[in-house]
Amino acid sequence: MVSRIDYTLYLVTDSTMIPEGSTFLKQVEDSINNGATIVQLREKNMLTLDFIERASQVHKLTLKKGIPLIINDRVDVALAIDAEGVHVGQDDMPASIVRKLIGPNKIVGVSCSFPSEVEAVCKEGVADYVGLGTVYKTNTKTNVLVPQGTGPIGIRKMLQVLKAHNTKQGNNYISCVAIGGINESNASKVLYQSAIQGQSLNGVAVVSCIMASKNAARSTIELENVIKSSVPWVKDINNQCFYIKTSEKIKQVVESKPLIHHITNNVVKNFSANVTLSIGASPIMSEFPDEFEEFASLIPNLALVLNLGTPSAGQMEIFKRAISVYNKHGKHIIFDPVAAGASTPRLECCKELLNAGQFSVIKGNVGEILALWKLTSKYQVSHTNENNLLMRGVDSVAEVSEADIKKIGREVAQDFRVVVVVTGAVNYVFDGTGFNSDSQNIHDVSLPDEKFGVAQVQIPGGHRIMSSITGTGCSLGSTIAAFVAAKADGSSNATFNLFDAVVGAVNFYNKCGFEVGRDIVSAPGTFMIKFLDKLEHEAHLHLQDDPKAMYYKTRAYNDYDYDCYYSY
Ligand code: 3NM
């Protein structure tokens, strides 16, 4: 088999979409000369003689540049021109037969849409790479199996299977690219979001983004730049921990007066806005997409709360517009998947949103985080008793043990590369951001599972009465957003530690809830008023360090150990 193939920018051709004024060969040549690292000739309706003629023309170009030419489906054409490889789909000639026909030194690629198909390719053991798709909706191929796209969630599930193969001693390494609806606007996002610990994509495959471009050279250069650049939402995050008290962090919120954009449910808008004001931030409740770009591009200390409490078809489009704009400008999004496990359509909404872009924080109760856990890459490939136990937990959240909460919290955090907050009598915060990767590949998480520690903290506090007052959960989302927008980790760096800021928010909020509940016991109406007062009081008046105040004990990423205590 062929080794060291560069799959980074994989051009798949299509002669039906050439723009006016250009030619098929010009599009291919412009792309090859400006960054395409491998080319697949894909002609679905061409006479054999014409196909061979075209293949040898393209081969001349690729040979000159020293990059491989792969022929789609037609082994005979590949043999005729001595191409470097053949790519087959699930309904084409089986890869094992292709291998026999073209020999051990050529490249064999196979398209896969599901983990079971990747598993079959791994078992067969003759392919050099797999093309995973369809990632996003595409107009280029009409008969795809998942028209809406598998999204990064689906890609990760396939990568989990591939990783099991690739990390096993003695197995031939199988590379992978993603395909379908990829272009300059989403290439770095798909590379970043698809990566799981120990296995990331080797590249992206594109058709229309280059073949239909009026300037194929420029489109290729832009795509290459995007592939090689970091995703915007990590630019202000660091991984340094300063063990700084919550009082220092809330001070930063008050001083920076961040703007918290809420797209939230109708029940809690008023309370969330009041909580936001009480802690010294400014709320804006906007579902008007035309102004999102202006917010995200012009306001520095800004974060978005996205709350699924009262979903509707129209709201999904608004959510997705907001995600796209906020991701583009690297602004942080706090996702509250309210009642994610309540119905299949609601979980589908979560999936659609998590596939649409990157969140920084996901906050939910045990049931909600358990529901999202079903979308993680390890969920479907593992058929262990452990998983069965957790599945019972989805139906009966009360049965979920602390160990289960820690497992699902960690796995959701790792898979979605976010900070996860699991709320309850005890709150848990997990850091799955993994920005301390040493990898050369900026989208790669790279560290193997056993080395990738997920920092985790348990935060007590709050009060049971809070569960009978609407908005107390949702407003924690507003508080987290305020700490994140203010970069309130207690340090004065331009960058901040996302996990520390979130821990500060959860700590602050629950300390206030505990103290108010302790003093007034069972009076929900009074609690609401007193709670707002308390938040305001603590935020603005108690900014000095209190020697008995909340403090952290230890933090060690690799031991999953980050205890948090505070004294009352
Ligand atoms: N294969 P575009 S999707 C050729 O899902 C191909 O296996 C797919 O085109 C798969 O980059 C696809 O224009 C077309 O979206 C991708």
Short mmCIF file of all heavy atoms in Angstrom, two decimals, residues 191-249:
data_model
loop_
_atom_site.label_atom_id
_atom_site.label_comp_id
_atom_site.label_asym_id
_atom_site.label_seq_id
_atom_site.Cartn_x
_atom_site.Cartn_y
_atom_site.Cartn_z
N LEU A 191 -13.10 20.16 10.92
CA LEU A 191 -11.88 19.48 11.37
C LEU A 191 -11.78 19.52 12.90
O LEU A 191 -11.47 18.51 13.54
CB LEU A 191 -10.63 20.15 10.76
CG LEU A 191 -10.41 19.88 9.27
CD1 LEU A 191 -9.38 20.83 8.70
CD2 LEU A 191 -9.99 18.43 9.04
N TYR A 192 -12.06 20.68 13.46
CA TYR A 192 -11.97 20.84 14.91
C TYR A 192 -13.03 20.00 15.63
O TYR A 192 -12.76 19.29 16.59
CB TYR A 192 -12.14 22.32 15.26
CG TYR A 192 -12.08 22.61 16.74
CD1 TYR A 192 -10.87 22.88 17.36
CD2 TYR A 192 -13.24 22.62 17.52
CE1 TYR A 192 -10.81 23.14 18.72
CE2 TYR A 192 -13.18 22.88 18.87
CZ TYR A 192 -11.97 23.14 19.47
OH TYR A 192 -11.92 23.40 20.82
N GLN A 193 -14.26 20.12 15.14
CA GLN A 193 -15.37 19.47 15.84
C GLN A 193 -15.39 17.95 15.66
O GLN A 193 -15.95 17.25 16.49
CB GLN A 193 -16.71 20.04 15.36
CG GLN A 193 -16.94 21.46 15.81
CD GLN A 193 -18.39 21.85 15.62
OE1 GLN A 193 -18.84 22.10 14.51
NE2 GLN A 193 -19.15 21.87 16.70
N SER A 194 -14.82 17.47 14.58
CA SER A 194 -14.85 16.03 14.34
C SER A 194 -13.83 15.28 15.17
O SER A 194 -13.99 14.08 15.42
CB SER A 194 -14.59 15.72 12.86
OG SER A 194 -15.60 16.29 12.08
N ALA A 195 -12.77 15.95 15.57
CA ALA A 195 -11.67 15.26 16.26
C ALA A 195 -12.14 14.63 17.57
O ALA A 195 -12.88 15.25 18.33
CB ALA A 195 -10.54 16.25 16.53
N ILE A 196 -11.72 13.40 17.79
CA ILE A 196 -11.91 12.79 19.10
C ILE A 196 -10.51 12.54 19.67
O ILE A 196 -9.53 12.63 18.93
CB ILE A 196 -12.71 11.47 19.03
CG1 ILE A 196 -12.03 10.48 18.08
CG2 ILE A 196 -14.15 11.72 18.64
CD1 ILE A 196 -12.56 9.07 18.17
N GLN A 197 -10.41 12.21 20.93
CA GLN A 197 -9.10 11.97 21.50
C GLN A 197 -8.41 10.83 20.75
O GLN A 197 -8.94 9.74 20.65
CB GLN A 197 -9.21 11.61 22.98
CG GLN A 197 -9.19 12.81 23.89
CD GLN A 197 -10.45 13.62 23.76
OE1 GLN A 197 -11.52 13.09 23.96
NE2 GLN A 197 -10.33 14.89 23.42
N GLY A 198 -7.24 11.15 20.20
CA GLY A 198 -6.45 10.11 19.53
C GLY A 198 -6.81 9.84 18.09
O GLY A 198 -6.19 8.99 17.45
N GLN A 199 -7.79 10.54 17.54
CA GLN A 199 -8.11 10.31 16.12
C GLN A 199 -8.78 11.55 15.54
O GLN A 199 -9.86 11.96 15.98
CB GLN A 199 -9.05 9.11 15.96
CG GLN A 199 -9.48 8.82 14.52
CD GLN A 199 -8.36 8.25 13.66
OE1 GLN A 199 -7.84 7.18 13.96
NE2 GLN A 199 -7.99 8.96 12.61
N SER A 200 -8.12 12.13 14.55
CA SER A 200 -8.77 13.25 13.87
C SER A 200 -8.76 13.01 12.37
O SER A 200 -8.13 12.07 11.89
CB SER A 200 -8.08 14.57 14.23
OG SER A 200 -6.69 14.45 14.03
N LEU A 201 -9.47 13.85 11.66
CA LEU A 201 -9.51 13.71 10.20
C LEU A 201 -8.14 14.06 9.62
O LEU A 201 -7.44 14.92 10.15
CB LEU A 201 -10.55 14.68 9.62
CG LEU A 201 -12.02 14.38 9.92
CD1 LEU A 201 -12.88 15.57 9.54
CD2 LEU A 201 -12.48 13.14 9.14
N ASN A 202 -7.79 13.42 8.51
CA ASN A 202 -6.53 13.76 7.83
C ASN A 202 -6.73 14.88 6.83
O ASN A 202 -5.75 15.43 6.31
CB ASN A 202 -5.96 12.54 7.14
CG ASN A 202 -5.63 11.44 8.12
OD1 ASN A 202 -6.45 10.56 8.37
ND2 ASN A 202 -4.47 11.51 8.72
N GLY A 203 -7.98 15.18 6.53
CA GLY A 203 -8.22 16.26 5.58
C GLY A 203 -9.69 16.38 5.24
O GLY A 203 -10.54 15.68 5.79
N VAL A 204 -9.96 17.32 4.31
CA VAL A 204 -11.34 17.49 3.85
C VAL A 204 -11.39 17.30 2.34
O VAL A 204 -10.45 17.67 1.63
CB VAL A 204 -11.91 18.89 4.21
CG1 VAL A 204 -12.11 19.01 5.71
CG2 VAL A 204 -11.02 20.01 3.69
N ALA A 205 -12.50 16.72 1.87
CA ALA A 205 -12.69 16.53 0.43
C ALA A 205 -13.79 17.47 -0.04
O ALA A 205 -14.83 17.59 0.63
CB ALA A 205 -13.06 15.07 0.14
N VAL A 206 -13.54 18.14 -1.14
CA VAL A 206 -14.53 19.12 -1.63
C VAL A 206 -14.75 18.96 -3.13
O VAL A 206 -13.84 18.57 -3.86
CB VAL A 206 -14.07 20.57 -1.36
CG1 VAL A 206 -13.96 20.84 0.13
CG2 VAL A 206 -12.75 20.88 -2.06
N VAL A 207 -15.98 19.30 -3.54
CA VAL A 207 -16.29 19.31 -4.98
C VAL A 207 -16.64 20.74 -5.40
O VAL A 207 -15.80 21.46 -5.95
CB VAL A 207 -17.44 18.34 -5.32
CG1 VAL A 207 -17.66 18.30 -6.84
CG2 VAL A 207 -17.19 16.94 -4.79
N SER A 208 -17.87 21.17 -5.09
CA SER A 208 -18.37 22.43 -5.64
C SER A 208 -17.58 23.65 -5.17
O SER A 208 -17.45 24.62 -5.93
CB SER A 208 -19.85 22.60 -5.29
OG SER A 208 -20.04 22.52 -3.90
N CYS A 209 -17.08 23.61 -3.98
CA CYS A 209 -16.35 24.75 -3.43
C CYS A 209 -15.20 25.16 -4.36
O CYS A 209 -14.87 26.34 -4.46
CB CYS A 209 -15.88 24.35 -2.04
SG CYS A 209 -14.44 25.13 -1.42
N ILE A 210 -14.64 24.20 -5.10
CA ILE A 210 -13.57 24.53 -6.05
C ILE A 210 -14.04 24.38 -7.50
O ILE A 210 -13.85 25.28 -8.31
CB ILE A 210 -12.33 23.64 -5.77
CG1 ILE A 210 -11.68 24.10 -4.46
CG2 ILE A 210 -11.34 23.73 -6.94
CD1 ILE A 210 -10.56 23.22 -3.97
N MET A 211 -14.72 23.27 -7.80
CA MET A 211 -15.08 23.03 -9.21
C MET A 211 -16.08 24.06 -9.73
O MET A 211 -16.07 24.40 -10.91
CB MET A 211 -15.65 21.61 -9.38
CG MET A 211 -14.65 20.49 -9.15
SD MET A 211 -13.12 20.60 -10.11
CE MET A 211 -13.69 20.32 -11.78
N ALA A 212 -16.94 24.58 -8.86
CA ALA A 212 -17.94 25.56 -9.32
C ALA A 212 -17.50 26.99 -9.07
O ALA A 212 -18.24 27.94 -9.33
CB ALA A 212 -19.28 25.30 -8.61
N SER A 213 -16.28 27.15 -8.56
CA SER A 213 -15.83 28.49 -8.21
C SER A 213 -15.44 29.29 -9.45
O SER A 213 -14.82 28.78 -10.38
CB SER A 213 -14.61 28.38 -7.28
OG SER A 213 -14.01 29.64 -7.13
N LYS A 214 -15.77 30.58 -9.40
CA LYS A 214 -15.39 31.45 -10.52
C LYS A 214 -13.88 31.71 -10.49
O LYS A 214 -13.29 32.15 -11.48
CB LYS A 214 -16.14 32.78 -10.42
CG LYS A 214 -17.62 32.63 -10.72
CD LYS A 214 -18.19 33.94 -11.28
CE LYS A 214 -19.52 33.72 -11.96
NZ LYS A 214 -20.61 33.51 -11.00
N ASN A 215 -13.27 31.44 -9.34
CA ASN A 215 -11.81 31.58 -9.23
C ASN A 215 -11.28 30.40 -8.41
O ASN A 215 -11.13 30.47 -7.18
CB ASN A 215 -11.47 32.92 -8.56
CG ASN A 215 -9.98 33.20 -8.59
OD1 ASN A 215 -9.16 32.28 -8.70
ND2 ASN A 215 -9.61 34.47 -8.52
N ALA A 216 -11.04 29.29 -9.11
CA ALA A 216 -10.65 28.05 -8.42
C ALA A 216 -9.33 28.19 -7.67
O ALA A 216 -9.14 27.58 -6.62
CB ALA A 216 -10.56 26.90 -9.43
N ALA A 217 -8.44 29.01 -8.23
CA ALA A 217 -7.14 29.21 -7.56
C ALA A 217 -7.36 29.88 -6.21
O ALA A 217 -6.88 29.41 -5.18
CB ALA A 217 -6.24 30.07 -8.44
N ARG A 218 -8.13 30.96 -6.23
CA ARG A 218 -8.36 31.70 -4.98
C ARG A 218 -9.13 30.83 -3.97
O ARG A 218 -8.83 30.81 -2.78
CB ARG A 218 -9.11 33.01 -5.25
CG ARG A 218 -8.98 33.97 -4.06
CD ARG A 218 -9.64 35.30 -4.30
NE ARG A 218 -11.06 35.11 -4.59
CZ ARG A 218 -11.77 35.91 -5.38
NH1 ARG A 218 -11.21 36.93 -5.95
NH2 ARG A 218 -13.05 35.68 -5.58
N SER A 219 -10.13 30.10 -4.45
CA SER A 219 -10.92 29.25 -3.53
C SER A 219 -10.05 28.21 -2.87
O SER A 219 -10.20 27.89 -1.70
CB SER A 219 -12.07 28.57 -4.28
OG SER A 219 -12.94 29.54 -4.76
N THR A 220 -9.09 27.65 -3.65
CA THR A 220 -8.20 26.64 -3.07
C THR A 220 -7.30 27.26 -2.02
O THR A 220 -7.11 26.70 -0.94
CB THR A 220 -7.34 25.99 -4.18
OG1 THR A 220 -8.20 25.56 -5.23
CG2 THR A 220 -6.55 24.81 -3.65
N ILE A 221 -6.77 28.44 -2.34
CA ILE A 221 -5.88 29.11 -1.38
C ILE A 221 -6.65 29.44 -0.09
O ILE A 221 -6.18 29.21 1.02
CB ILE A 221 -5.28 30.41 -1.99
CG1 ILE A 221 -4.31 30.04 -3.12
CG2 ILE A 221 -4.58 31.26 -0.94
CD1 ILE A 221 -3.90 31.21 -4.01
N GLU A 222 -7.87 29.96 -0.28
CA GLU A 222 -8.69 30.30 0.90
C GLU A 222 -8.97 29.07 1.75
O GLU A 222 -8.87 29.08 2.97
CB GLU A 222 -10.02 30.92 0.45
CG GLU A 222 -9.91 32.42 0.25
CD GLU A 222 -11.20 33.01 -0.32
OE1 GLU A 222 -12.28 32.40 -0.12
OE2 GLU A 222 -11.10 34.06 -0.95
N LEU A 223 -9.31 27.98 1.07
CA LEU A 223 -9.61 26.74 1.78
C LEU A 223 -8.38 26.25 2.54
O LEU A 223 -8.47 25.85 3.71
CB LEU A 223 -10.09 25.69 0.78
CG LEU A 223 -10.70 24.43 1.36
CD1 LEU A 223 -11.93 24.74 2.19
CD2 LEU A 223 -11.09 23.46 0.24
N GLU A 224 -7.24 26.31 1.88
CA GLU A 224 -6.00 25.86 2.53
C GLU A 224 -5.70 26.72 3.77
O GLU A 224 -5.33 26.21 4.83
CB GLU A 224 -4.83 25.94 1.54
CG GLU A 224 -3.59 25.27 2.07
CD GLU A 224 -2.36 25.53 1.21
OE1 GLU A 224 -2.35 26.54 0.47
OE2 GLU A 224 -1.42 24.73 1.28
N ASN A 225 -5.90 28.03 3.63
CA ASN A 225 -5.66 28.92 4.77
C ASN A 225 -6.59 28.59 5.94
O ASN A 225 -6.17 28.57 7.09
CB ASN A 225 -5.87 30.39 4.37
CG ASN A 225 -4.72 30.88 3.51
OD1 ASN A 225 -3.65 30.27 3.51
ND2 ASN A 225 -4.96 31.94 2.75
N VAL A 226 -7.83 28.33 5.61
CA VAL A 226 -8.81 28.01 6.66
C VAL A 226 -8.43 26.70 7.35
O VAL A 226 -8.46 26.59 8.58
CB VAL A 226 -10.23 27.93 6.05
CG1 VAL A 226 -11.20 27.29 7.02
CG2 VAL A 226 -10.71 29.31 5.66
N ILE A 227 -8.04 25.71 6.55
CA ILE A 227 -7.66 24.41 7.11
C ILE A 227 -6.49 24.56 8.07
O ILE A 227 -6.42 23.91 9.11
CB ILE A 227 -7.29 23.42 5.98
CG1 ILE A 227 -8.54 23.03 5.18
CG2 ILE A 227 -6.62 22.16 6.53
CD1 ILE A 227 -8.23 22.27 3.89
N LYS A 228 -5.58 25.46 7.71
CA LYS A 228 -4.36 25.60 8.52
C LYS A 228 -4.49 26.60 9.66
O LYS A 228 -3.55 26.78 10.43
CB LYS A 228 -3.19 26.00 7.62
CG LYS A 228 -2.80 24.85 6.70
CD LYS A 228 -1.52 25.09 5.97
CE LYS A 228 -1.11 23.81 5.23
NZ LYS A 228 -0.29 24.09 4.07
N SER A 229 -5.64 27.25 9.76
CA SER A 229 -5.75 28.24 10.84
C SER A 229 -6.61 27.69 11.97
O SER A 229 -7.42 26.79 11.79
CB SER A 229 -6.32 29.55 10.30
OG SER A 229 -7.57 29.30 9.73
N SER A 230 -6.42 28.29 13.12
CA SER A 230 -7.14 27.84 14.30
C SER A 230 -8.59 28.33 14.24
O SER A 230 -8.87 29.35 13.61
CB SER A 230 -6.44 28.42 15.53
OG SER A 230 -7.13 28.05 16.67
N VAL A 231 -9.46 27.65 14.92
CA VAL A 231 -10.85 28.10 14.97
C VAL A 231 -10.95 29.33 15.87
O VAL A 231 -10.25 29.42 16.88
CB VAL A 231 -11.78 26.97 15.48
CG1 VAL A 231 -12.05 25.97 14.40
CG2 VAL A 231 -11.20 26.29 16.71
N PRO A 232 -11.81 30.30 15.52
CA PRO A 232 -11.79 31.58 16.22
C PRO A 232 -12.14 31.52 17.71
O PRO A 232 -11.68 32.34 18.48
CB PRO A 232 -12.82 32.43 15.47
CG PRO A 232 -13.29 31.65 14.31
CD PRO A 232 -12.77 30.26 14.40
N TRP A 233 -12.97 30.56 18.11
CA TRP A 233 -13.45 30.62 19.49
C TRP A 233 -12.42 30.14 20.51
O TRP A 233 -12.65 30.23 21.70
CB TRP A 233 -14.75 29.83 19.66
CG TRP A 233 -14.66 28.42 19.18
CD1 TRP A 233 -14.21 27.36 19.90
CD2 TRP A 233 -15.01 27.94 17.90
NE1 TRP A 233 -14.25 26.24 19.13
CE2 TRP A 233 -14.74 26.56 17.90
CE3 TRP A 233 -15.53 28.52 16.74
CZ2 TRP A 233 -14.97 25.76 16.79
CZ3 TRP A 233 -15.75 27.72 15.64
CH2 TRP A 233 -15.48 26.36 15.67
N VAL A 234 -11.27 29.65 20.07
CA VAL A 234 -10.25 29.25 21.04
C VAL A 234 -9.20 30.34 21.28
O VAL A 234 -8.37 30.23 22.14
CB VAL A 234 -9.51 27.94 20.63
CG1 VAL A 234 -10.48 26.81 20.46
CG2 VAL A 234 -8.68 28.15 19.39
N LYS A 235 -9.31 31.42 20.50
CA LYS A 235 -8.21 32.39 20.51
C LYS A 235 -8.04 33.10 21.87
O LYS A 235 -6.94 33.51 22.20
CB LYS A 235 -8.35 33.40 19.37
CG LYS A 235 -9.46 34.40 19.57
CD LYS A 235 -9.56 35.34 18.37
CE LYS A 235 -10.59 36.42 18.60
NZ LYS A 235 -11.92 35.97 19.01
N ASP A 236 -9.11 33.26 22.63
CA ASP A 236 -8.94 33.97 23.90
C ASP A 236 -8.92 33.02 25.10
O ASP A 236 -9.04 33.45 26.24
CB ASP A 236 -10.03 35.04 24.07
CG ASP A 236 -11.42 34.46 24.10
OD1 ASP A 236 -11.57 33.26 23.83
OD2 ASP A 236 -12.37 35.21 24.41
N ILE A 237 -8.76 31.74 24.83
CA ILE A 237 -8.78 30.77 25.94
C ILE A 237 -7.38 30.23 26.20
O ILE A 237 -6.65 29.89 25.27
CB ILE A 237 -9.73 29.62 25.60
CG1 ILE A 237 -11.15 30.16 25.48
CG2 ILE A 237 -9.69 28.54 26.67
CD1 ILE A 237 -12.16 29.13 25.08
N ASN A 238 -7.00 30.15 27.47
CA ASN A 238 -5.74 29.49 27.80
C ASN A 238 -6.01 28.36 28.77
O ASN A 238 -7.15 28.12 29.16
CB ASN A 238 -4.73 30.49 28.38
CG ASN A 238 -5.16 31.00 29.74
OD1 ASN A 238 -5.56 30.24 30.61
ND2 ASN A 238 -5.09 32.31 29.94
N ASN A 239 -4.97 27.67 29.15
CA ASN A 239 -5.18 26.52 30.01
C ASN A 239 -4.45 26.66 31.34
O ASN A 239 -4.16 25.69 32.00
CB ASN A 239 -4.72 25.26 29.28
CG ASN A 239 -5.74 24.17 29.45
OD1 ASN A 239 -6.83 24.43 29.92
ND2 ASN A 239 -5.38 22.96 29.10
N GLN A 240 -4.18 27.90 31.70
CA GLN A 240 -3.46 28.10 32.95
C GLN A 240 -4.44 28.28 34.10
O GLN A 240 -5.45 28.96 33.96
CB GLN A 240 -2.60 29.37 32.84
CG GLN A 240 -1.46 29.20 31.89
CD GLN A 240 -0.87 30.56 31.55
OE1 GLN A 240 -1.50 31.37 30.89
NE2 GLN A 240 0.31 30.79 32.04
N CYS A 241 -4.10 27.69 35.18
CA CYS A 241 -4.97 27.75 36.34
C CYS A 241 -4.32 28.63 37.40
O CYS A 241 -3.13 28.50 37.67
CB CYS A 241 -5.17 26.35 36.87
SG CYS A 241 -6.04 26.33 38.40
N PHE A 242 -5.07 29.53 37.97
CA PHE A 242 -4.47 30.47 38.94
C PHE A 242 -4.98 30.31 40.36
O PHE A 242 -4.57 31.04 41.24
CB PHE A 242 -4.70 31.91 38.46
CG PHE A 242 -3.99 32.22 37.19
CD1 PHE A 242 -4.67 32.21 35.99
CD2 PHE A 242 -2.64 32.51 37.20
CE1 PHE A 242 -4.00 32.48 34.80
CE2 PHE A 242 -1.98 32.79 36.03
CZ PHE A 242 -2.66 32.77 34.81
N TYR A 243 -5.87 29.38 40.60
CA TYR A 243 -6.40 29.14 41.95
C TYR A 243 -6.92 30.45 42.57
O TYR A 243 -6.56 30.81 43.68
CB TYR A 243 -5.31 28.58 42.87
CG TYR A 243 -4.62 27.36 42.32
CD1 TYR A 243 -3.39 27.47 41.67
CD2 TYR A 243 -5.19 26.10 42.43
CE1 TYR A 243 -2.76 26.36 41.15
CE2 TYR A 243 -4.57 24.99 41.92
CZ TYR A 243 -3.35 25.12 41.28
OH TYR A 243 -2.73 24.02 40.77
N ILE A 244 -7.66 31.18 41.83
CA ILE A 244 -8.09 32.49 42.33
C ILE A 244 -9.53 32.42 42.85
O ILE A 244 -10.37 31.71 42.33
CB ILE A 244 -7.93 33.55 41.22
CG1 ILE A 244 -6.43 33.76 41.00
CG2 ILE A 244 -8.58 34.86 41.62
CD1 ILE A 244 -6.09 34.62 39.83
N LYS A 245 -9.77 33.18 43.88
CA LYS A 245 -11.06 33.13 44.56
C LYS A 245 -12.20 33.68 43.70
O LYS A 245 -11.99 34.57 42.87
CB LYS A 245 -10.97 33.94 45.85
CG LYS A 245 -10.11 33.27 46.88
CD LYS A 245 -9.93 34.19 48.05
CE LYS A 245 -8.96 33.54 49.03
NZ LYS A 245 -8.43 34.53 49.97
N THR A 246 -13.38 33.18 44.00
CA THR A 246 -14.56 33.62 43.26
C THR A 246 -14.80 35.11 43.41
O THR A 246 -15.26 35.77 42.48
CB THR A 246 -15.77 32.80 43.74
OG1 THR A 246 -15.48 31.43 43.51
CG2 THR A 246 -17.03 33.18 43.01
N SER A 247 -14.46 35.65 44.56
CA SER A 247 -14.69 37.08 44.78
C SER A 247 -13.90 37.91 43.76
O SER A 247 -14.38 38.95 43.28
CB SER A 247 -14.29 37.48 46.20
OG SER A 247 -12.97 37.06 46.47
N GLU A 248 -12.73 37.43 43.38
CA GLU A 248 -11.93 38.13 42.37
C GLU A 248 -12.61 38.06 41.00
O GLU A 248 -12.52 38.98 40.19
CB GLU A 248 -10.54 37.49 42.25
CG GLU A 248 -9.60 37.83 43.38
CD GLU A 248 -9.32 39.32 43.46
OE1 GLU A 248 -9.02 39.92 42.42
OE2 GLU A 248 -9.42 39.88 44.56
N LYS A 249 -13.25 36.95 40.78
CA LYS A 249 -13.87 36.75 39.46
C LYS A 249 -15.12 37.61 39.29
O LYS A 249 -15.31 38.24 38.25
CB LYS A 249 -14.20 35.27 39.28
CG LYS A 249 -12.96 34.36 39.33
CD LYS A 249 -13.34 32.90 39.23
CE LYS A 249 -12.11 32.02 39.39
NZ LYS A 249 -12.45 30.59 39.44
#
